[in-house]
Amino acid sequence: MRSEEDANRAVDLYGDTARRICMIHLKNMADTEDIFQTVFLKYVLRTAPFDNPEHEKAWIIRVTANACKDLLKSFFRTRTVSPETMIERSHEIPEDHSDVLEAVLALPEKYKDPIYLHYYEGYTAEEIGQILHKNTNTVYTLLTRARQMLKTWLEGVTEDE
């Protein structure tokens, strides 16, 4: 078990990243806070050492993404949340974000993590492949397809205005 000092350091270093990943997946603050707490509880309870800070950050990113996906697949959530509720929840995202964030949030699940890790966290395709346990060429394909979807969506938005 890790010390309180270790937990506070990890929250300071990786808390913003974990929250942003949660918001991309869950689109609401209540679930984001729940997953945030779960991730850092798992961090505190983990006894195995990390090889280096990059390994630690990659572990937190992976655990966060997996926890979000698990919540979205959970029996309770799939049986009790209507599509209308999901649309209402999507409006909980702060108003000051642009159409780009809205477009990223609208991407299919498999494209969100690679786009976020590449553009918001600055990881290379090789690093994303290691974090997400995917082949590097698969990451390149996901990024290319996601960029094309974003381009199409954003072109449609600017034409409507």
Side-chain angles (χ1 to χ4, degrees):
M1 195 155 123
R2 299 186 188 287
S3 70
E4 184 177 343
E5 183 179 296
D6 287 340
N8 289 335
R9 180 192 55 79
V11 169
D12 289 343
L13 289 173
Y14 311 119
D16 288 341
T17 299
R19 277 194 177 95
R20 287 190 299 256
I21 290 170
C22 289
M23 282 301 290
I24 285 173
H25 284 278
L26 305 173
K27 301 177 182 112
N28 76 71
M29 205 49 140
D31 289 339
T32 293
E33 290 301 319
D34 288 345
I35 296 300
F36 181 85
Q37 290 177 8
T38 300
V39 167
F40 286 99
L41 178 62
K42 287 181 181 182
Y43 175 83
V44 168
L45 297 175
R46 180 185 161 96
T47 57
F50 294 104
D51 298 336
N52 53 49
E54 291 82 26
H55 178 225
E56 183 178 46
K57 184 175 183 181
W59 184 87
I60 288 176
I61 289 169
R62 190 77 204 127
V63 169
T64 302
N66 286 341
C68 290
K69 290 173 186 174
D70 289 346
L71 178 64
L72 292 171
K73 292 186 303 188
S74 72
F75 177 81
F76 176 77
R77 187 169 180 106
T78 59
R79 299 295 187 258
T80 60
V81 178
S82 68
E84 294 80 24
T85 304
M86 291 303 292
I87 291 169
E88 290 170 14
R89 285 184 178 178
S90 70
H91 298 295
E92 293 181 29
I93 297 166
E95 294 293 326
D96 59 338
H97 291 318
S98 68
D99 289 335
V100 176
L101 177 58
E102 189 177 331
V104 170
L105 293 173
L107 286 172
E109 290 300 317
K110 67 182 178 180
Y111 300 111
K112 289 179 185 178
D113 287 332
I115 286 291
Y116 174 78
L117 292 173
H118 183 70
Y119 289 105
Y120 292 91
E121 294 295 326
Y123 284 104
T124 65
E126 293 81 14
E127 293 167 332
I128 294 169
Q130 291 173 348
I131 291 170
L132 299 179
H133 303 291
K134 294 188 182 297
N135 184 298
T136 301
N137 288 333
T138 302
V139 173
Y140 281 122
T141 301
L142 293 171
L143 287 170
T144 300
R145 290 178 182 166
R147 279 191 289 260
Q148 185 58 43
M149 285 183 228
L150 290 169
K151 180 180 176 188
T152 302
W153 191 86
L154 291 170
E155 285 173 351
V157 167
T158 56
E159 289 173 7
D160 292 344
E161 294 176 356

